[in-house]
């Protein structure tokens, strides 16, 4: 978000310490943290509302990219009979070869 390095952060904290004072610095830091948290929450809420308006099928980040027309039926089989012949797996084009030499 902001490109602030360690040196800049130390300068910012020193200036804040001089302006606010050591007694009120924790209170001000807590207030700034709450304000930033609320700003982030509001921004996320507006973003999700905007995305829901643009894409009504958007459901909290969970979407089915394939669509329901690509669903194939599942064939059930028991352990004794094994899988159906059509889904047994790829066949070796040359059964004489046992594998890489």
């Amino acid at each position: 978000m902001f490109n602030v390095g360690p040196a800049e952060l130390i300068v910012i904290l020193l200036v804040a310490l001089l302006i606010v004072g050591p007694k009120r610095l924790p209170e001000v830091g807590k207030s700034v943290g709450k304000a930033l948290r609320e700003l982030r929450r509001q921004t996320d809420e507006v973003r999700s509302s905007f995305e829901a308006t643009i894409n009504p099928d958007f459901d909290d980040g969970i979407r089915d990219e394939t669509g329901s027309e690509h669903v194939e039926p599942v064939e059930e089989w028991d352990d004794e009979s094994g899988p159906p012949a059509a889904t047994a797996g790829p066949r070796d084009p040359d059964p004489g070869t046992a594998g890489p030499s």
Side-chain angles (χ1 to χ4, degrees):
M1 190 164 135
F2 298 112
N3 193 9
V4 179
E8 290 90 357
L9 189 60
I10 290 172
V11 171
I12 291 170
L13 290 175
L14 287 175
V15 169
L17 182 63
L18 290 174
I19 292 174
V20 176
K23 291 183 181 179
R24 288 195 53 216
L25 187 61
E27 178 184 330
V28 170
K30 187 176 180 180
S31 298
V32 169
K34 283 183 179 180
L36 288 174
R37 193 175 318 118
E38 180 67 20
L39 178 67
R40 179 175 288 167
R41 189 183 68 77
Q42 291 290 330
T43 303
D44 290 343
E45 185 177 316
V46 169
R47 181 180 297 129
S48 66
S49 174
F50 180 73
E51 287 175 351
T53 302
I54 296 299
N55 188 2
D57 295 334
F58 186 74
D59 186 18
D60 294 331
I62 302 172
R63 292 181 8 204
D64 182 14
E65 295 291 332
T66 60
S68 60
E69 67 273 0
H70 296 289
V71 176
E72 296 180 14
V74 176
E75 294 182 32
E76 294 185 17
W77 49 279
D78 58 355
D79 291 337
E80 294 174 7
S81 65
T87 60
R91 296 182 182 183
D92 189 7
D94 187 10
T97 60
S101 302

